[in-house]
Amino acid sequence: MSENYEYILKTEHVSKHFGKLEVLKDINLSVKKGEVICIIGPSGAGKSTFLRSLNQLEKITSGKIFIRDELFLHREKDHTVDRLPHEKQQELLLEMGMVFQRFNLFPHMTVLQNVYEAPVVVRKKKKEEGKAHAMELLTRVGLADKADEYPSRLSGGQQQRVAIARALAMNPEIMLFDEPTSALDPELVGDVLNVMKELADDGMTMLVVTHEMGFAREVADRVLFMADGIIAEEGTPEQIFTNPQVERTKSFLNAVLEA
Amino acid sequence: MKFLKKYKKPIIVIAIIVVVVIVLGALKPTEQEMLSCASPEMQKMIREDATRTRKRVTVTYESLIVVNYLSLSTSGAQEISEHYVGFVRNVYPADEGPMKVVGQMVNYTYRMLGCGENLMHGAKLTILLTTLTVIFGLLLGTVLALGKISKNKILSGISSGYIFFFRGTPLLIQLFVVYFTVPGIFGFAWRDIFPASDAEAVYKGAFTAALIAFALNSGAYCAEIVRSAIQSIDKGQYEAAKALGMTYGQTMGLIIVPQSIRRMIPNVSNEFIMILKDASLVFAISLMDITTISKNIMTSEGSYLVFIPALVIYLVITAFFGFIFNKIEKRFSVYE
């Protein structure tokens, strides 16, 4: 696989309709390797839908998605115009790890098994190797002692850290976070954000949909403000938080930061 | 050790029951002891019978866990019969009064349980048929359920049609179709699938037909059980599996189905009990299950009381399997 690419991920004119409802309108985004991008905005803005479109949990209505400069998918009016062969697509999708708002851990597996299952069955790793790597990752998120517990015994924050370890176990190049702390009790948010910060410091490419303005401000290289299905404003955290240009951004930030 | 601690109470109860049964069983009179209580007249005839080729006395000795039943009857001009019940070192005459009823109950229960017969008689037949039906029904049901929820229109059409058909027609008619119509059309007989030398070929053939009819029917019901269990699994589980790169097969086999099993158990337990009761329909093709035997006793001996032990036997079997399914459910709930 070639390592000489300009953008690890790029979208051109991506839009998405749910029936008559237009959730995404002409989204253009380019992500360089190692970049941390936070997507903020009011609910219903299409942030989650956009993230989910990237790893094909939602099918876009039209637009182009590039991964490592290769045209991954091109659709127009709900029809696929061009795409990579299926196997190649699968391979590239493995480079995207996803962390969900509601964790979605597998409840019938222990924490350790949650982490090593996919590497073993999908990446065809040896079980022993998978377990060892899983243990390493659990140590990294501070949950090595919970390896043999079932997820239901863990707090929300611990479950989310397991979910991050699970996504990392596939060795993705880019991590997508879909409101990873929105379902958590306030006192549990910090642990998860710390894990994410460490990831960012290690150079992981990250796309984070979040309502944690403090996190976005501190960790992001770039902040996107989405509203009504478009990227209304884009810039460094500095620009967006201290000197927003668009009226919609200003009112949103006022409402959020005052609360 | 952990196991012992967890199930302390039931283990103690079961242990006490087992000990009591073993003690009572050991104390029950032997056949010889029972025979020695018979009238001198009857004893004389039995002794003489030993050297005769044509016996005059029919001796029926039935031993049922803790009680014995001995029935002696002669044929011929002056028919005489004697009945005895043996319990804890005592032999009670059972020719009249309450002991007669006790004796009959022991005798009927013995016959309805299928004691002294092979696996395909009485309660053993009912349990065997029900268990095999549920196993095959679940396998078929899983295939049908996956078919029904699949995006392939042909597969889901076939599955839906199958389920519609088998749930929309009576089981008894389905049994008749498998037993009479299918061999009629294709020109074979159910007994022919067993070697002609097998004395029970006809009977085994009927059992096979019953099992096929029941499994086909149960498959339709199990399909709905499996389907609703699968569809009750959170959508997020599919998404997580997909995001990790699992194929549809891996997702179903490793993530969705194992979680569904836990949710299926109460409904499977229900289905099991339904089949257990529906199994009484095999009386229509002359299989000797609890129902058939009780009805035969009613017809030949005119004993209207026979249906009461029949009910008790069904109830005991239901309670036993209900208990087993309960334990299985607990077992599968470790992660909740």
Side-chain angles (χ1 to χ4, degrees):
Chain A
M1 222 173 280
S2 102
E3 293 292 327
N4 303 318
Y5 50 82
E6 192 178 2
Y7 296 110
I8 188 162
L9 185 69
K10 192 166 84 167
T11 68
E12 277 176 11
H13 313 297
V14 163
S15 62
K16 166 80 186 170
H17 300 215
F18 285 120
K20 286 248 187 274
L21 188 71
E22 219 178 347
V23 197
L24 297 176
K25 303 169 199 162
D26 194 27
I27 304 278
N28 297 290
L29 174 71
S30 306
V31 185
K32 283 199 167 127
K33 193 171 164 64
E35 255 190 315
V36 177
I37 296 175
C38 284
I39 306 173
I40 60 170
S43 50
K47 310 182 297 287
S48 287
T49 309
F50 177 59
L51 209 63
R52 293 159 56 82
S53 305
L54 293 177
N55 72 344
Q56 307 305 303
L57 289 177
E58 304 280 357
K59 268 218 157 75
I60 58 173
T61 305
S62 56
K64 293 178 186 172
I65 296 174
F66 297 85
I67 298 179
R68 291 179 173 149
D69 293 346
E70 284 188 272
L71 181 62
F72 179 83
L73 178 70
H74 179 193
R75 280 166 71 81
E76 291 300 336
K77 293 181 182 156
D78 268 324
H79 288 284
T80 304
V81 179
D82 193 9
R83 65 173 176 85
L84 284 176
H86 184 73
E87 274 173 30
K88 181 88 174 147
Q89 272 196 333
Q90 281 306 110
E91 205 177 296
L92 283 176
L93 280 178
L94 293 186
E95 299 300 335
M96 270 191 251
M98 177 97 176
V99 175
F100 299 88
Q101 181 178 354
R102 300 217 47 91
F103 333 132
N104 296 344
L105 291 179
F106 305 132
H108 60 303
M109 297 179 179
T110 61
V111 162
L112 187 68
Q113 205 184 346
N114 259 285
V115 181
Y116 75 71
E117 188 71 10
V120 171
V121 301
V122 179
R123 290 261 201 221
K124 309 287 173 216
K125 236 184 193 178
K126 283 209 185 75
K127 200 165 181 178
E128 290 314 309
E129 234 174 279
K131 274 186 183 174
H133 187 212
M135 227 29 226
E136 256 170 57
L137 289 166
L138 285 174
T139 311
R140 196 163 151 196
V141 299
L143 290 171
D145 55 327
K146 302 285 185 194
D148 295 322
E149 297 275 8
Y150 285 99
S152 58
R153 302 243 177 249
L154 272 52
S155 73
Q158 291 170 331
Q159 290 193 43
Q160 193 59 296
R161 283 187 278 156
V162 174
I164 294 173
R166 179 176 71 175
L168 289 175
M170 297 296 283
N171 290 325
E173 292 222 323
I174 180 164
M175 287 280 283
L176 310 177
F177 291 85
D178 185 7
E179 301 197 22
T181 57
S182 296
L184 298 179
D185 291 339
E187 76 270 22
L188 303 173
V189 169
D191 287 338
V192 174
L193 291 183
N194 282 337
V195 168
M196 290 167 63
K197 253 178 235 170
E198 279 170 32
L199 260 184
D201 291 342
D202 287 349
M204 175 64 78
T205 313
M206 292 163 63
L207 242 69
V208 187
V209 171
T210 186
H211 291 294
E212 297 293 329
M213 297 304 148
F215 175 83
R217 196 166 189 161
E218 187 183 341
V219 181
D221 298 310
R222 213 162 11 129
V223 176
L224 308 184
F225 174 73
M226 272 182 83
D228 306 320
I230 56 164
I231 298 177
E233 192 167 355
E234 178 180 354
T236 63
E238 198 61 24
Q239 289 167 342
I240 298 285
F241 288 107
T242 54
N243 190 19
Q245 301 298 312
V246 183
E247 199 48 49
R248 195 80 178 75
T249 319
K250 282 181 199 164
S251 61
F252 173 77
L253 285 175
N254 274 336
V256 175
L257 295 176
E258 263 170 36
Chain B
M1 272 298 128
K2 211 173 162 190
F3 176 82
L4 285 180
K5 227 175 201 170
K6 202 168 157 195
Y7 295 106
K8 206 170 163 190
K9 264 192 202 153
I11 285 175
I12 290 174
V13 171
I14 290 170
I16 290 173
I17 292 174
V18 168
V19 168
V20 167
V21 166
I22 288 175
V23 169
L24 290 181
L27 285 177
K28 74 185 172 183
T30 63
E31 186 174 359
Q32 283 313 313
E33 286 167 333
M34 300 272 293
L35 277 172
S36 65
C37 292
S39 64
E41 218 182 323
M42 191 66 90
Q43 293 203 28
K44 190 168 160 253
M45 274 197 277
I46 294 172
R47 270 198 304 279
E48 288 168 6
D49 263 1
T51 53
R52 291 167 56 117
T53 40
R54 211 164 151 269
K55 314 282 187 202
R56 282 172 303 172
V57 186
T58 314
V59 181
T60 317
Y61 171 76
E62 293 165 351
S63 171
L64 192 70
I65 312 172
V66 295
V67 280
N68 287 339
Y69 179 73
L70 180 71
S71 158
L72 305 165
S73 59
T74 65
S75 48
Q78 311 121 319
E79 191 179 308
I80 51 166
S81 62
E82 294 173 11
H83 305 92
Y84 297 93
V85 171
F87 181 66
V88 193
R89 302 246 60 93
N90 277 313
V91 179
Y92 306 92
D95 291 315
E96 55 194 11
M99 276 322 280
K100 183 182 175 189
V101 177
V102 172
Q104 282 178 336
M105 290 303 134
V106 173
N107 173 244
Y108 297 159
T109 308
Y110 183 90
R111 286 153 75 183
M112 285 189 287
L113 287 180
C115 298
E117 300 273 6
N118 67 21
L119 259 184
M120 280 186 289
H121 285 85
K124 289 185 281 186
L125 170 100
T126 303
I127 294 172
L128 185 69
L129 182 62
T130 306
T131 312
L132 291 178
T133 298
V134 171
I135 292 170
F136 289 123
L138 273 176
L139 292 176
L140 179 60
T142 307
V143 175
L144 287 168
L146 291 176
K148 189 167 178 184
I149 61 177
S150 98
K151 286 189 187 116
N152 185 322
K153 288 233 168 66
I154 298 169
L155 272 182
S156 86
I158 291 173
S159 298
S160 300
Y162 181 98
I163 294 167
F164 173 70
F165 177 80
F166 277 92
R167 293 212 305 178
T169 50
L171 176 55
L172 186 57
I173 307 289
Q174 292 165 12
L175 180 62
F176 285 152
V177 168
V178 173
Y179 187 63
F180 297 113
T181 314
V182 171
I185 291 173
F186 294 99
F188 72 99
W190 282 108
R191 63 169 184 277
D192 294 341
I193 59 177
F194 294 97
S197 58
D198 192 337
E200 286 216 53
V202 173
Y203 194 74
K204 284 181 181 166
F207 181 84
T208 311
L211 177 58
I212 291 173
F214 276 63
L216 290 176
N217 177 275
S218 175
Y221 286 92
C222 287
E224 288 299 287
I225 293 174
V226 175
R227 184 188 60 81
S228 64
I230 287 177
Q231 291 185 335
S232 76
I233 303 295
D234 181 32
K235 211 173 89 225
Q237 294 288 308
Y238 292 90
E239 294 185 347
K242 193 177 175 202
L244 288 166
M246 291 189 188
T247 62
Y248 181 75
Q250 289 167 337
T251 305
M252 293 314 270
L254 298 169
I255 310 299
I256 306 301
V257 172
Q259 290 184 59
S260 312
I261 288 175
R262 154 73 186 79
R263 302 197 183 179
M264 278 182 334
I265 295 168
N267 288 329
V268 171
S269 170
N270 239 345
E271 170 71 2
F272 188 95
I273 289 165
M274 292 302 291
I275 297 170
L276 187 82
K277 291 181 289 182
D278 285 345
S280 61
L281 291 178
V282 297
F283 86 89
I285 59 168
S286 305
L287 281 170
M288 300 299 277
D289 80 321
I290 301 170
T291 304
T292 315
I293 294 172
S294 64
K295 195 175 156 290
N296 287 353
I297 291 172
M298 162 73 196
T299 322
S300 62
E301 299 176 27
S303 172
Y304 47 81
L305 286 179
V306 64
F307 298 115
I308 292 166
L311 290 179
V312 173
I313 292 174
Y314 274 114
L315 211 53
V316 169
I317 300 174
T318 309
F320 175 73
F321 281 99
F323 174 79
I324 299 281
F325 275 106
N326 217 322
K327 287 282 158 253
I328 298 176
E329 191 181 345
K330 290 239 169 73
R331 241 250 123 98
F332 272 90
S333 305
V334 283
Y335 60 79
E336 284 187 348

